[in-house]
Protein backbone atom coordinates (compact mmCIF):
# COMPACT_ATOMS: atom_id res chain seq x y z
CA UNK A 1 0.00 0.00 0.00
CA UNK A 2 1.34 3.42 -0.88
CA UNK A 3 1.50 5.91 1.99
CA UNK A 4 -1.51 8.18 2.44
CA UNK A 5 -0.81 11.57 0.93
CA UNK A 6 1.80 10.30 -1.52
CA UNK A 7 1.29 10.29 -5.28
CA UNK A 8 1.74 6.70 -6.46
CA UNK A 9 4.18 6.59 -9.39
CA UNK A 10 5.19 2.93 -9.38
CA UNK A 11 8.68 1.95 -10.49
CA UNK A 12 9.39 -1.59 -11.75
CA UNK A 13 12.82 -1.44 -10.10
CA UNK A 14 12.40 -3.38 -6.86
CA UNK A 15 12.40 -6.87 -5.41
CA UNK A 16 11.59 -8.60 -2.12
CA UNK A 17 13.56 -7.67 0.99
CA UNK A 18 16.00 -10.53 1.55
CA UNK A 19 15.62 -12.83 4.57
CA UNK A 20 12.26 -11.20 5.32
CA UNK A 21 14.15 -8.15 6.57
CA UNK A 22 12.22 -5.15 7.84
CA UNK A 23 13.51 -1.60 7.44
CA UNK A 24 15.56 -0.21 10.33
CA UNK A 25 17.53 2.45 8.43
CA UNK A 26 16.55 5.45 6.31
CA UNK A 27 18.95 6.61 3.60
CA UNK A 28 18.72 10.20 2.29
CA UNK A 29 19.79 11.04 -1.27
CA UNK A 30 19.77 13.92 -3.68
CA UNK A 31 18.97 13.20 -7.30
CA UNK A 32 21.68 15.41 -8.89
CA UNK A 33 19.48 15.79 -11.96
CA UNK A 34 18.13 18.84 -13.78
CA UNK A 35 14.48 18.30 -12.82
CA UNK A 36 12.15 16.18 -10.76
CA UNK A 37 10.57 14.79 -13.93
CA UNK A 38 13.95 13.67 -15.22
CA UNK A 39 14.72 12.02 -11.89
CA UNK A 40 11.34 10.29 -11.83
CA UNK A 41 11.85 8.98 -15.37
CA UNK A 42 15.24 7.59 -14.47
CA UNK A 43 14.02 6.00 -11.22
CA UNK A 44 11.22 4.27 -13.16
CA UNK A 45 13.24 3.17 -16.23
CA UNK A 46 13.87 -0.59 -16.19
CA UNK A 47 17.20 -0.23 -17.99
CA UNK A 48 18.69 1.94 -15.21
CA UNK A 49 17.85 -0.55 -12.44
CA UNK A 50 17.60 2.19 -9.80
CA UNK A 51 14.70 3.39 -7.69
CA UNK A 52 13.82 4.71 -4.25
CA UNK A 53 10.76 4.40 -2.07
CA UNK A 54 10.11 8.14 -2.20
CA UNK A 55 10.99 11.16 -4.30
CA UNK A 56 10.25 14.61 -2.92
CA UNK A 57 9.95 17.46 -5.42
CA UNK A 58 11.20 20.96 -4.71
CA UNK A 59 7.63 22.16 -4.20
CA UNK A 60 7.09 19.51 -1.52
CA UNK A 61 5.12 17.05 -3.66
CA UNK A 62 5.64 13.55 -2.30
CA UNK A 63 5.93 10.77 -4.87
CA UNK A 64 6.05 7.12 -3.89
CA UNK A 65 7.70 4.74 -6.34
CA UNK A 66 8.08 1.53 -4.33
CA UNK A 67 6.05 0.17 -1.42
CA UNK A 68 7.89 0.18 1.89
CA UNK A 69 7.59 -3.58 2.29
CA UNK A 70 9.59 -4.04 -0.92
CA UNK A 71 13.33 -3.64 -1.53
CA UNK A 72 14.00 -0.52 -3.60
CA UNK A 73 17.33 -0.18 -5.40
CA UNK A 74 18.81 3.04 -4.05
CA UNK A 75 21.79 2.25 -1.85
CA UNK A 76 24.10 0.01 -3.88
CA UNK A 77 27.43 -1.16 -2.49
CA UNK A 78 28.24 -0.07 1.02
CA UNK A 79 27.46 -0.75 4.67
CA UNK A 80 26.35 0.82 7.92
CA UNK A 81 27.40 -1.01 11.04
CA UNK A 82 26.62 -4.69 10.58
CA UNK A 83 24.22 -4.00 7.70
CA UNK A 84 25.75 -4.93 4.35
CA UNK A 85 22.60 -5.33 2.26
CA UNK A 86 21.45 -1.81 2.94
CA UNK A 87 18.62 -2.01 0.39
CA UNK A 88 17.00 -4.89 2.27
CA UNK A 89 17.14 -3.02 5.57
CA UNK A 90 16.31 0.54 4.57
CA UNK A 91 13.84 3.01 3.17
CA UNK A 92 15.33 5.26 0.50
CA UNK A 93 14.29 8.89 0.05
CA UNK A 94 15.42 10.91 -2.96
CA UNK A 95 15.28 14.71 -2.87
CA UNK A 96 15.02 16.55 -6.16
CA UNK A 97 18.15 18.70 -5.90
CA UNK A 98 20.95 19.38 -8.36
CA UNK A 99 23.56 18.75 -5.67
CA UNK A 100 25.07 22.21 -5.30
CA UNK A 101 22.07 24.37 -4.40
CA UNK A 102 20.16 24.75 -1.12
CA UNK A 103 17.22 22.42 -0.51
CA UNK A 104 13.82 24.05 -1.00
CA UNK A 105 11.91 24.88 2.18
CA UNK A 106 8.71 23.11 1.07
CA UNK A 107 10.78 20.02 0.31
CA UNK A 108 12.35 19.92 3.76
CA UNK A 109 8.97 20.49 5.41
CA UNK A 110 7.64 17.46 3.51
CA UNK A 111 10.74 15.42 4.40
CA UNK A 112 10.31 16.21 8.11
CA UNK A 113 6.69 15.08 7.98
CA UNK A 114 7.53 11.90 6.07
CA UNK A 115 10.44 10.97 8.33
CA UNK A 116 8.29 11.49 11.40
CA UNK A 117 5.77 8.98 10.03
CA UNK A 118 8.37 6.45 8.88
CA UNK A 119 10.32 6.47 12.15
CA UNK A 120 7.12 6.05 14.16
CA UNK A 121 5.71 3.32 11.89
CA UNK A 122 8.86 1.19 11.96
CA UNK A 123 10.30 2.12 15.36
CA UNK A 124 13.48 3.45 13.76
CA UNK A 125 15.66 5.57 16.09
CA UNK A 126 16.95 8.93 14.83
CA UNK A 127 20.59 7.79 14.66
CA UNK A 128 19.57 5.37 11.92
CA UNK A 129 18.63 8.14 9.51
CA UNK A 130 21.80 8.46 7.44
CA UNK A 131 23.06 9.90 4.17
CA UNK A 132 24.04 7.91 1.12
CA UNK A 133 27.58 9.27 1.68
CA UNK A 134 27.57 7.75 5.18
CA UNK A 135 27.04 4.20 3.94
CA UNK A 136 29.17 4.50 0.80
CA UNK A 137 32.28 6.50 1.84
CA UNK A 138 34.53 7.37 -1.07
CA UNK A 139 31.80 6.47 -3.57
CA UNK A 140 28.82 8.76 -2.90
CA UNK A 141 28.57 12.39 -1.80
CA UNK A 142 24.83 12.87 -1.39
CA UNK A 143 22.92 14.48 0.28
CA UNK A 144 25.89 16.86 0.41
CA UNK A 145 27.11 19.74 2.57
CA UNK A 146 23.93 21.82 2.22
CA UNK A 147 21.63 19.18 3.66
CA UNK A 148 20.09 20.44 6.96
CA UNK A 149 21.07 17.61 9.33
CA UNK A 150 20.91 19.84 12.39
CA UNK A 151 17.33 20.83 11.59
CA UNK A 152 16.35 17.18 11.26
CA UNK A 153 18.04 16.40 14.56
CA UNK A 154 16.20 19.26 16.26
CA UNK A 155 12.98 17.55 15.16
CA UNK A 156 14.19 14.22 16.59
CA UNK A 157 14.73 12.78 13.11
CA UNK A 158 18.51 12.46 13.04
CA UNK A 159 21.45 13.13 15.32
CA UNK A 160 23.60 16.21 15.65
CA UNK A 161 26.12 16.38 18.45
CA UNK A 162 26.95 20.04 18.01
CA UNK A 163 30.45 21.13 17.35
CA UNK A 164 33.11 22.66 19.51
CA UNK A 165 35.19 25.54 18.21
CA UNK A 166 37.74 24.72 15.53
CA UNK A 167 41.21 24.35 16.97
CA UNK A 168 44.67 24.63 15.49
CA UNK A 169 45.51 22.07 12.83
CA UNK A 170 46.75 18.77 14.20
CA UNK A 171 49.18 16.48 12.51
CA UNK A 172 47.25 13.43 11.29
CA UNK A 173 49.60 11.07 13.08
CA UNK A 174 49.00 7.31 12.94
CA UNK A 175 47.88 7.37 16.57
CA UNK A 176 45.34 10.13 16.00
CA UNK A 177 44.05 8.49 12.82
CA UNK A 178 43.64 5.21 14.69
CA UNK A 179 41.61 7.00 17.39
CA UNK A 180 39.49 8.71 14.77
CA UNK A 181 38.96 5.48 12.86
CA UNK A 182 37.96 3.56 15.98
CA UNK A 183 35.37 6.20 16.83
CA UNK A 184 33.95 6.36 13.32
CA UNK A 185 33.65 2.57 13.17
CA UNK A 186 31.82 2.55 16.50
CA UNK A 187 29.37 5.13 15.17
CA UNK A 188 28.65 3.01 12.08
CA UNK A 189 30.97 3.96 9.23
CA UNK A 190 32.52 1.03 7.42
CA UNK A 191 35.73 0.93 5.38
CA UNK A 192 39.41 0.24 5.76
CA UNK A 193 40.92 3.65 4.99
CA UNK A 194 40.83 6.24 7.76
CA UNK A 195 41.03 9.20 5.39
CA UNK A 196 38.08 7.97 3.32
CA UNK A 197 35.96 7.60 6.44
CA UNK A 198 37.20 10.98 7.67
CA UNK A 199 36.04 12.56 4.40
CA UNK A 200 32.56 11.01 4.74
CA UNK A 201 32.32 12.14 8.38
CA UNK A 202 33.41 15.66 7.46
CA UNK A 203 30.83 15.90 4.65
CA UNK A 204 28.07 15.25 7.11
CA UNK A 205 29.24 16.85 10.34
CA UNK A 206 31.81 19.55 9.47
CA UNK A 207 31.56 20.25 5.74
CA UNK A 208 33.12 23.70 6.00
CA UNK A 209 35.95 22.96 8.39
CA UNK A 210 39.60 23.37 7.43
CA UNK A 211 42.49 21.16 8.44
CA UNK A 212 42.14 18.16 10.74
CA UNK A 213 41.95 19.38 14.33
CA UNK A 214 41.02 18.42 17.86
CA UNK A 215 37.34 19.16 17.19
CA UNK A 216 37.26 16.27 14.70
CA UNK A 217 38.48 13.82 17.31
CA UNK A 218 36.13 15.20 19.95
CA UNK A 219 33.14 15.10 17.62
CA UNK A 220 33.84 11.57 16.35
CA UNK A 221 34.26 10.31 19.90
CA UNK A 222 31.04 12.02 20.96
CA UNK A 223 29.16 10.29 18.13
CA UNK A 224 30.67 6.93 19.11
CA UNK A 225 29.83 7.39 22.79
CA UNK A 226 26.27 8.65 22.35
CA UNK A 227 25.16 6.60 19.36
CA UNK A 228 27.22 3.41 19.04
CA UNK A 229 25.92 1.47 16.05
CA UNK A 230 23.83 -1.65 16.56
CA UNK A 231 25.84 -4.81 15.98
CA UNK A 232 22.94 -6.87 14.61
ZN1 LIG B 1 22.28 8.58 -3.49
Amino acid sequence: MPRAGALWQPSPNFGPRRDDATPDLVVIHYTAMESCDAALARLCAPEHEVSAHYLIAGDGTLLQLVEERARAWHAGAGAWGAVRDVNSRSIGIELDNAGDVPFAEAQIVQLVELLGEILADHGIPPERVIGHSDMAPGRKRDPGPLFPWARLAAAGLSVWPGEGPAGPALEASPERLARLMAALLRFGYRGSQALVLFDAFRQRFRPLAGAFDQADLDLAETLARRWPVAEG
Side-chain angles (χ1 to χ4, degrees):
M1 287 274 290
R3 184 172 287 282
L7 291 177
W8 181 233
Q9 295 276 346
S11 168
N13 300 335
F14 68 92
R17 294 183 184 273
R18 293 176 185 151
D19 301 323
D20 296 321
T22 52
D24 67 350
L25 279 169
V26 178
V27 181
I28 309 282
H29 305 260
Y30 59 49
T31 57
M33 294 193 70
E34 68 273 22
S35 72
C36 195
D37 285 347
L40 180 62
R42 180 178 172 83
L43 293 166
C44 292
E47 65 271 25
H48 290 305
E49 300 187 332
V50 293
S51 64
H53 294 91
Y54 297 98
L55 169 62
I56 305 178
D59 67 2
T61 301
L62 176 64
L63 307 171
Q64 183 165 5
L65 287 59
V66 176
E67 291 189 49
E68 289 183 9
R69 63 183 175 81
R71 180 178 181 273
W73 301 341
H74 59 96
W80 185 254
V83 177
R84 300 198 164 271
D85 178 5
V86 175
N87 280 337
S88 280
R89 293 273 294 268
S90 66
I91 290 172
I93 303 174
E94 288 276 1
L95 302 172
D96 171 36
N97 178 280
D100 54 1
V101 292
F103 292 85
E105 175 62 19
Q107 184 177 47
I108 297 303
V109 167
Q110 178 60 259
L111 175 65
V112 164
E113 185 178 332
L114 176 64
L115 280 175
E117 293 176 6
I118 290 173
L119 268 53
D121 287 353
H122 298 280
I124 299 174
E127 65 269 26
R128 294 186 72 80
V129 177
I130 62 173
H132 202 186
S133 56
D134 290 321
M135 56 133 296
R139 189 173 72 82
K140 291 292 178 181
R141 303 194 75 78
D142 57 315
L146 299 176
F147 185 75
W149 286 110
R151 179 168 168 187
L152 252 54
L157 303 171
S158 186
V159 296
W160 190 258
E163 183 188 337
L170 282 182
E171 183 202 346
S173 65
E175 294 75 18
R176 289 190 185 113
L177 287 181
R179 249 180 83 186
L180 180 76
M181 180 90 169
L184 295 179
L185 290 171
R186 267 202 308 285
F187 179 59
Y189 287 99
R190 286 294 175 268
S192 56
Q193 296 180 56
L195 292 179
V196 173
L197 299 195
F198 175 61
D199 179 57
F201 155 80
R202 268 293 186 85
Q203 283 178 61
R204 168 137 169 218
F205 292 103
R206 296 186 79 198
L208 305 177
F212 175 68
D213 67 12
Q214 185 64 38
D216 288 312
L217 276 178
D218 293 346
L219 188 52
E221 291 182 342
T222 298
L223 291 170
R225 188 177 64 250
R226 292 183 62 184
W227 299 290
V229 74
E231 296 298 331

